[in-house]
Amino acid sequence: MNAPATLPPGAVFADTARSAFAGNYPEVPHKLTHTLGAHPLMELEALAALAEALPAASIEYNAADQPIGIDGKPAPTGIPIGRTIREIETARSWAVLKNIEQDPAYAALLADLLAEIRPAIEARTGRMLKTQGFVFVTSAGGVTPYHFDPEHNILMQLRGSKVMTQFPAGDATYAPDEVHETYHTGGGRELKWREDLLAGGHEFPLKAGEALYVPVMAPHFVRNGQEPSVSLSITWRSEWSFAEADARAFNGLLRKFGLKPSSPGRWPAANRAKALGWRIARKLGAG
């Protein structure tokens, strides 16, 4: 796929958006505006072609009509991924294309977008690590069930609308410590849902031209609007996020020995001691 022209510096996130991001990153969820618009790489035909070219492990898709809480991942619909995206208006499906940076054109787009906010990121959490992009294509009314993700994430709405309901990161009420520990040692990211949790969530409506910052491991679910949606997540890790993950994994190891470890601290807590403990345990084959 041929890459379109490189985006001019500062072309997508205005000064006001970058200022808002700098004032809230990395722990406060907040909305931003963007001008990425109908980028050629985000058109359905381009995304269908990308999906058909990506490895199978980089594609996940299922029926859009899901409950908020699920046990494990839903099964694929059986409709080929290219057809799913091209016919998203009638397919009643949800699809995610993972690690779009495997394609050079999408890698360049991701790099351009992250370059606009790099100074604010590195001022707080240091060098950006493991930069990745994910595209979500959803039929009208689709639901992304309750889960969490390990990355710092800006979800950019490009077509259609959706509402993300987000819950406080690091609060065991919404994601128990044991679930974090299991996830960071190879388990799933899906979370158990109870209706009484809803009161603690904050709804963020998104329409085309808006974006939402999602802190590391903030539980959330998404309801799509009444027309097909295309969204782009631009994500990165930080040494802080890796240390938090390793501290969680170390806590899981301690729990196996009958201990009741305290939760890792949220930023700016460094979690270095437990992270180091896990890294040593892994080298010794105990992890």
Side-chain angles (χ1 to χ4, degrees), residues 259-284:
L259 301 175
K260 295 182 179 179
S262 59
S263 303
R266 295 295 299 182
W267 187 89
N271 300 309
R272 290 193 184 95
K274 284 184 176 179
L276 180 60
W278 175 248
R279 293 166 190 178
I280 291 171
R282 200 164 46 195
K283 285 185 178 179
L284 295 175

Side-chain angles (χ1 to χ4, degrees), residues 10-193:
V12 173
F13 296 109
D15 290 345
T16 52
R18 292 198 300 274
S19 177
F21 176 74
N24 287 288
Y25 178 74
E27 283 292 86
V28 181
H30 59 283
K31 287 178 64 172
L32 303 165
T33 57
H34 68 84
T35 58
L36 186 58
H39 192 282
L41 292 179
M42 294 294 121
E43 296 292 342
L44 290 181
E45 181 55 40
L47 293 173
L50 173 65
E52 291 168 337
L54 286 172
S58 297
I59 303 297
E60 184 179 338
Y61 61 107
N62 50 251
D65 185 15
Q66 298 293 330
I68 294 174
I70 58 172
D71 186 10
K73 292 188 180 298
T77 60
I79 304 171
I81 184 60
R83 181 180 159 198
T84 294
I85 292 174
R86 291 182 178 98
E87 300 177 6
I88 198 64
E89 295 209 17
T90 57
R92 300 176 64 184
S93 296
W94 170 94
V96 58
L97 313 186
K98 305 175 183 179
N99 301 117
I100 61 172
E101 69 280 357
Q102 295 173 87
D103 179 282
Y106 288 89
L109 175 61
L110 176 64
D112 286 344
L113 294 171
L114 289 174
E116 295 194 20
I117 53 174
R118 180 185 296 272
I121 292 169
E122 295 189 341
R124 291 292 185 92
T125 56
R127 186 166 60 95
M128 283 192 296
L129 306 171
K130 200 175 181 180
T131 58
Q132 297 175 310
F134 303 82
V135 173
F136 301 90
V137 183
T138 313
S139 295
V143 172
T144 304
Y146 189 49
H147 70 288
F148 52 25
D149 300 299
E151 305 93 358
H152 305 276
N153 172 21
I154 295 177
L155 178 67
M156 304 175 67
Q157 191 68 18
L158 303 175
R159 172 183 174 180
S161 65
K162 60 182 50 171
V163 177
M164 177 185 285
T165 303
Q166 197 177 137
F167 299 81
D171 188 329
T173 303
Y174 305 102
D177 289 338
E178 292 85 349
V179 179
H180 281 274
E181 293 157 15
T182 300
Y183 171 73
H184 288 302
T185 51
R189 67 186 66 200
E190 294 78 23
L191 296 167
K192 292 196 178 297
W193 175 250

Side-chain angles (χ1 to χ4, degrees), residues 201-268:
H202 184 93
E203 289 189 350
F204 292 94
L206 292 175
K207 60 185 179 183
E210 295 182 328
L212 175 64
Y213 173 69
V214 186
V216 170
M217 303 304 277
H220 59 278
F221 65 86
V222 182
R223 293 184 187 274
N224 208 58
Q226 295 308 304
E227 59 184 273
S229 165
V230 176
S231 306
L232 168 64
S233 272
I234 58 173
T235 77
W236 62 98
R237 299 293 298 271
S238 61
E239 177 50 37
W240 177 84
S241 77
F242 280 119
E244 192 265 357
D246 288 344
R248 291 283 189 184
F250 189 65
N251 275 358
L253 185 61
L254 296 177
R255 207 176 295 277
K256 289 179 181 178
F257 289 101
L259 301 175
K260 295 182 179 179
S262 59
S263 303
R266 295 295 299 182
W267 187 89

